[in-house]
Amino acid sequence: MFKNVFGSGFLVRTAHVILTWVITLILFLHDTELRQQEETGQLVQPVLFVLLVLGSVLLYFAVSLMDPGFILSEDRDLQFTLGVTEEQQDMIPPTTKSLRQRRCGHCLLQQPMRSKHCQTCQHCVRRYDHHCPWIENCVGERNHRWFVLYLAVQLLVLLWGGAHRLLCCVLRTGFSAAPSWQQWLRSDGVLLAVATLLALLSLVVLLLLGSHLYLVSLNTTTWEFMARHRISYLKHCGADENPFDRGTFHNLWGFYCVWGTVVWEQVYFREGSDQV
């Protein structure tokens, strides 16, 4: 289920963890609200913040090391003819055209619908969304919901413990305490640099989270949204047509609450849909 922690991306993951805890230490070692609360014995918020940071790191490793839905062999997975078993295949509505089976040109495995071969990971991935260099892993059927949860927790950490409170601390106390900007820069330059970094990271994570929630509500993926004109089962659809869209509520429910492999052929070939 999980990849080797010392495999590809080890340096990226190590840098992420080091940066996370270094920034956390800076928040507690400098004159910030978290340190003031710690010194006065108000430990509820500092402890909650540390636990939130720890949770974000654990989610990062879970998403980074988790199998995103790799298709490893035809013998291991019995769902290759149409992406379904023989029993499930009988449930697909009959149509006038025959299904064009897709075989990956790289790993030579037949691909279930919505899967794609990742050149970086060298595997086909079920319901492929994108390959994320931040986690050095693909985002696919098995880890997409955890990736969205990680983004939400990470954004909460950045906004609560960093960008807002740290920047307010710098603006409120930094300029007034130092007689000149050179002395202030020497004393509080680190805080300003950290606040700027956290503000930029907050913006990036906010945009990522917003875009993924929007795509999830439409039951589409980043790959399908960006390259629908090159995808065989979408390029014949209209610009605003999505054969996998079951309504916002059902899309969100299916994404967050339905576990296991989804037979997308059943959704695609429902009544009124055309085959590829």
Side-chain angles (χ1 to χ4, degrees):
M1 181 179 178
F2 290 91
K3 301 194 301 182
N4 185 357
V5 68
F6 296 106
S8 63
F10 174 72
L11 294 179
V12 175
R13 300 183 186 106
T14 301
H16 176 88
V17 173
I18 292 176
L19 180 63
T20 299
W21 289 111
V22 165
I23 293 177
T24 302
L25 286 176
I26 291 176
L27 292 175
F28 281 95
L29 293 178
H30 285 73
D31 187 21
T32 61
E33 290 188 19
L34 288 173
R35 180 177 178 179
Q36 293 173 5
Q37 292 174 350
E38 179 187 8
E39 291 176 345
T40 57
Q42 303 175 21
L43 300 180
V44 176
Q45 292 193 30
V47 170
L48 287 178
F49 177 73
V50 172
L51 291 177
L52 198 61
V53 173
L54 179 61
S56 71
V57 173
L58 293 178
L59 279 172
Y60 172 81
F61 272 99
V63 175
S64 178
L65 301 176
M66 184 181 295
D67 178 358
F70 292 138
I71 302 171
L72 300 179
S73 69
E74 295 186 5
D75 294 333
R76 177 181 174 184
D77 200 327
L78 299 179
Q79 301 179 348
F80 279 97
T81 302
L82 280 174
V84 295
T85 61
E86 293 181 359
E87 295 80 3
Q88 292 171 323
Q89 187 172 344
D90 295 335
M91 300 171 60
I92 299 177
T95 56
T96 58
K97 299 180 181 179
S98 60
L99 176 67
R100 181 184 302 170
Q101 298 182 11
R102 296 180 301 143
R103 183 173 290 274
C104 178
H106 300 277
C107 57
L108 303 181
L109 297 176
Q110 289 185 349
Q111 297 175 324
M113 189 170 284
R114 306 192 80 180
S115 62
K116 181 183 180 297
H117 185 88
C118 176
Q119 296 285 0
T120 304
C121 295
Q122 293 299 311
H123 288 296
C124 288
V125 181
R126 290 184 179 277
R127 203 180 64 79
Y128 175 86
D129 188 86
H130 72 289
H131 182 90
C132 180
W134 190 351
I135 63 174
E136 197 58 37
N137 194 13
C138 281
V139 176
E141 183 178 68
R142 293 185 180 177
N143 66 346
H144 196 174
R145 59 171 59 88
W146 296 108
F147 180 74
V148 174
L149 178 60
Y150 162 70
L151 290 178
V153 173
Q154 187 68 55
L155 180 62
L156 183 59
V157 170
L158 291 170
L159 294 178
W160 179 26
H164 172 67
R165 294 194 175 189
L166 187 57
L167 186 59
C168 289
C169 178
V170 171
L171 296 177
R172 184 178 65 250
T173 63
F175 288 106
S176 59
S180 64
W181 70 268
Q182 292 91 345
Q183 295 182 10
W184 173 84
L185 189 61
R186 285 194 296 268
S187 61
D188 294 319
V190 174
L191 286 180
L192 179 61
V194 171
T196 303
L197 176 62
L198 292 180
L200 292 175
L201 290 176
S202 299
L203 179 60
V204 171
V205 174
L206 177 62
L207 292 176
L208 281 174
L209 179 61
S211 63
H212 276 277
L213 290 176
Y214 171 73
L215 294 177
V216 166
S217 69
L218 299 177
N219 199 355
T220 189
T221 64
T222 302
W223 174 57
E224 292 171 343
F225 182 79
M226 300 296 295
R228 63 178 292 132
H229 62 285
R230 295 190 289 110
I231 300 175
S232 59
Y233 55 85
L234 290 180
K235 64 182 180 181
H236 300 295
C237 300
D240 298 327
E241 182 182 357
N242 178 14
F244 305 110
D245 187 4
R246 296 171 287 185
T248 301
F249 175 79
H250 287 92
N251 292 339
L252 294 175
W253 177 267
F255 181 80
Y256 290 106
C257 303
V258 175
W259 297 82
T261 299
V262 177
V263 184
W264 292 110
E265 286 81 357
Q266 291 184 19
V267 180
Y268 185 84
F269 291 120
R270 68 184 185 270
E271 185 177 356
S273 297
D274 295 328
Q275 287 200 357
V276 178

